[in-house]
Amino acid sequence: MASSFNIISNEEVQDIRAALEEGDLCTATERVSEYLKDIENAPLNIAITGESGTGKSTFVNAIRGMDDEEEGSAKTGVVETTEKPTPYLHPQYTNVTVWDLPGIGTPNFAPDSYLQSVHFSRYDFFIILSSERFKKNDIDLAKAIQAMNKKFYFVRSKVDSDLYASQVRRKKTFNEENVLNEIRNNCIQSLRDGGITKPQVFLLSFLELDKFDFQIMQDTLEKELPEHKRHIFLISLPNISLPVLEKKRQAFKTDIWKLSLLSAGAAVVPIPGLSVACDIRIPMNAMTSYKNAFGLDEKSLEKLADTFGKDVSELKSVIKSPTVTKEINEELVITLLKSGVTGGLMFVEYAASNIPLLGSLIAGGISFGTTYCMLSDFLTEIAEDAVRVLMKALESPV
Ligand SMILES: Nc1nc2c(ncn2[C@@H]2O[C@H](COP(=O)(O)OP(=O)(O)O)[C@@H](O)[C@H]2O)c(=O)[nH]1
Ligand SMILES: [Mg+2]
C-alpha cells in the first residue's frame, strides 16, 4: 500500500521513524538522505486541473502524443466528459503520473467541495489550466495548494483561438508577438490581483503543442521535477518526525516533576535575588541530557553539519529557542529560573520568607513549579527545533 505521503513508501516511513526513536538526529538524517539519493525513482503525481472546458483532457492526450480518438486517450469535448480523476502515465518522465481531473464547478464538483472530491492530497503538484483570464476559482485553488505547501504552474490554453480571432478581426495591425504578450500580461495581472505572488504562466495550444511556451514548460519541468520530489519528501518529514519526537518529549516529561521535586527538596543552593533555594545541578543535568538525546548538543550538530556539507552556523540558524544554542551552566539555569518567577510568584516568595516554617514549604513549592515549567518549556522548544534542524540538514545546497 502506498503511504499517505505519496513519495515515500510505508516501509521507508517506518524506517525513518525507527531511526528517530532509537537514535539521535544525525542517525535519522543519514537514513533520510539515503532515500533522497533514490529520489529520482520516486513516483510523482501531477494533477491537471481548472474549470470545465479549458482543455485538461486534450492536454493530457497531447503530451502523451495521442489524438482524442485513440484507444486509451482521455475523453474530450464541448460538454464536460471527465467524471472522475483519471491517471495516465507520462510518456517521457518515468514514474510521473498525470491525472486528468473533472472541471471545477461542474455539477458533481462544486468549488467548495472540489478539493475533497478529487482527493486533493494525492497529488504532488498541480497545473492549473484556463482558456481565458484566470478567475476566482483558479486563484482559490492556487491558494489552497499553497496552503498545503505544494507547488503549481498556470497554463493558459487555446492561444491558437485568440490568435485566430485577432487575425480575423484586426487584419491590418495583427502581430502575433503582441497578442501573446497581451495574453501573458493579462494572465499575470489577474493572478497578482488575486494575491498570487510570482505566478508562472505558460501559454499553450494543444492543437499545436510544440509551439508557444511548450519548450519553456518542458525545460522548467525537467529542471524542477527533482526539486519538486525533494521538496515533497521534505515537507512530509515533520509529519513523520514530530510524532516521534513528541513521544520522546512525553517520555522525558513524566520524569520532570520528579526531578523538580528532587531539586526543590534538595534545596541546597540559594539563588541570589530569588529567595527560593533549589539544587540547580538537577535541572542543569536534565537540560544537558535533553540536548544530547535530541542531538542538538554542540558535538552532534558539528557531526551533522559535517555529514551534510553544511556549516554549523547554518544549522543553528533555524533553531528558534534562545536557550538551545547556549552552553548549559549554572548561570544560565539561574537566569532561566529567575525569569520564570514573575509578578504574583515574587510576592508569594516575599511573604514566604517572613514566615519561616511555612516559608520553606512554600518556597519549596515555588521552586518546584518554577523548575517544572522551565524544564517543560525547554523540552518543547528542543523537540520543535530538532525537526527544523533535521529539515535544514537535508535541504539541497543552494
Ligand atoms: N482551439 C483549441 N481548442 C481546444 C484546445 N484545447 C482543448 N480544446 C477544445 O476545447 C474543448 C474542451 O476540451 P477538453 O479537453 O474536453 O476540456 P476539459 O473539460 O478541461 O477536459 C474540446 O472541444 C477541445 O477540442 C486548444 O488548445 N485550442
Ligand atoms: Mg476533461
Side-chain angles (χ1 to χ4, degrees):
M1 198 189 79
S3 77
S4 55
F5 305 110
N6 292 344
I7 221 157
I8 333 173
S9 73
N10 271 341
E11 291 76 48
E12 289 166 341
V13 170
Q14 287 311 329
D15 202 31
I16 296 167
R17 279 207 175 118
L20 275 168
E21 251 158 39
E22 290 160 20
D24 54 16
L25 221 48
C26 207
T27 324
T29 316
E30 269 170 24
R31 195 67 52 85
V32 178
S33 83
E34 279 163 27
Y35 291 125
L36 279 174
K37 283 192 198 118
D38 293 333
I39 203 79
E40 289 300 318
N41 304 320
L44 194 71
N45 291 286
I46 304 178
I48 312 297
T49 181
E51 291 195 341
S52 187
T54 51
K56 296 179 294 298
S57 303
T58 311
F59 179 45
V60 169
N61 289 338
I63 55 168
R64 293 162 72 230
M66 290 178 141
D67 64 40
D68 297 349
E69 294 164 326
E70 274 178 68
E71 207 179 311
S73 66
K75 267 209 230 157
T76 60
V78 283
V79 292
E80 174 66 41
T81 44
T82 311
E83 284 158 13
K84 59 177 196 321
T86 317
Y88 298 92
L89 288 179
H90 195 287
Q92 275 140 2
Y93 313 116
T94 43
N95 298 313
V96 170
T97 305
V98 179
W99 290 78
D100 183 19
L101 265 48
I104 320 173
T106 45
N108 293 327
F109 296 91
D112 53 352
S113 58
Y114 180 78
L115 300 177
Q116 240 177 336
S117 324
V118 299
H119 307 287
F120 204 43
S121 60
R122 175 198 283 160
Y123 314 106
D124 301 309
F125 84 87
F126 297 78
I127 295 179
I128 305 173
L129 255 59
S130 178
S131 49
E132 298 164 39
R133 73 182 57 189
F134 290 91
K135 301 197 209 91
K136 186 175 183 304
N137 279 345
D138 306 305
I139 289 161
D140 288 350
L141 194 62
K143 284 181 177 163
I145 297 167
Q146 219 158 25
M148 290 198 323
N149 206 356
K150 293 187 178 179
K151 299 258 160 88
F152 51 85
Y153 298 115
F154 293 99
V155 164
R156 167 58 159 82
S157 63
K158 305 193 189 178
V159 293
D160 57 295
S161 303
D162 299 85
L163 288 171
Y164 178 72
S166 179
Q167 208 165 12
V168 171
R169 300 291 307 162
R170 294 183 284 274
K171 285 194 184 73
K172 280 188 218 138
T173 54
F174 175 76
N175 175 308
E176 180 170 308
E177 203 54 37
N178 288 351
V179 178
L180 292 175
N181 277 336
E182 215 171 283
I183 298 175
R184 192 186 311 280
N185 294 339
N186 188 267
C187 283
I188 290 177
Q189 196 53 50
S190 60
L191 290 168
R192 285 214 183 111
D193 290 347
I196 308 288
T197 45
K198 291 197 198 144
Q200 208 164 355
V201 183
F202 302 109
L203 269 47
L204 296 180
S205 161
F206 306 143
L207 307 190
E208 303 160 277
L209 190 64
D210 53 349
K211 280 178 87 174
F212 312 110
D213 288 343
F214 187 69
Q215 198 51 49
I216 302 172
M217 185 180 81
Q218 288 279 83
D219 294 346
T220 309
L221 287 182
E222 210 144 306
K223 198 169 86 238
E224 294 187 0
L225 277 188
E227 257 321 297
H228 275 303
K229 290 185 182 180
R230 210 183 158 90
H231 172 77
I232 290 148
F233 194 102
L234 288 181
I235 58 171
S236 61
L237 260 189
N239 296 334
I240 303 170
S241 48
L242 267 177
V244 180
L245 296 176
E246 175 58 21
K247 225 164 101 186
K248 222 173 188 174
R249 189 175 80 87
Q250 285 298 341
F252 278 119
K253 213 173 163 186
T254 52
D255 272 345
I256 288 187
W257 71 272
K258 282 188 226 156
L259 289 177
S260 308
L261 259 175
L262 196 65
S263 163
V268 291
V269 182
I271 301 173
L274 193 71
S275 60
V276 170
C278 80
D279 187 348
I280 51 168
R281 278 170 306 179
I282 294 171
M284 202 166 87
N285 290 344
M287 285 168 79
T288 309
S289 71
Y290 302 159
K291 251 172 103 161
N292 293 341
F294 282 94
L296 290 179
D297 56 296
E298 198 64 33
K299 233 165 107 188
S300 306
L301 283 175
E302 264 164 30
K303 185 168 168 238
L304 190 64
D306 203 41
T307 311
F308 291 92
K310 304 245 143 111
D311 216 65
V312 188
S313 62
E314 212 183 327
L315 296 185
K316 282 186 180 170
S317 72
V318 293
I319 295 180
K320 284 200 181 151
S321 158
T323 320
V324 171
T325 44
K326 286 192 183 128
E327 192 201 333
I328 296 176
N329 52 27
E330 285 190 13
E331 201 190 335
L332 176 74
V333 177
I334 290 173
T335 312
L336 287 174
L337 285 172
K338 275 205 241 165
S339 69
V341 183
T342 50
L345 276 177
M346 277 295 197
F347 174 74
V348 176
E349 277 182 83
Y350 172 76
S353 67
N354 291 322
I355 314 163
L357 186 66
L358 199 64
S360 66
L361 278 178
I362 298 175
I366 292 162
S367 175
F368 163 75
T370 320
T371 313
Y372 183 89
C373 291
M374 192 271 281
L375 286 179
S376 299
D377 287 350
F378 183 65
L379 203 49
T380 306
E381 286 173 6
I382 220 168
E384 286 167 2
D385 278 331
V387 182
R388 280 191 280 270
V389 169
L390 177 74
M391 308 259 296
K392 189 74 192 171
L394 292 165
E395 225 173 56
S396 58
V398 276

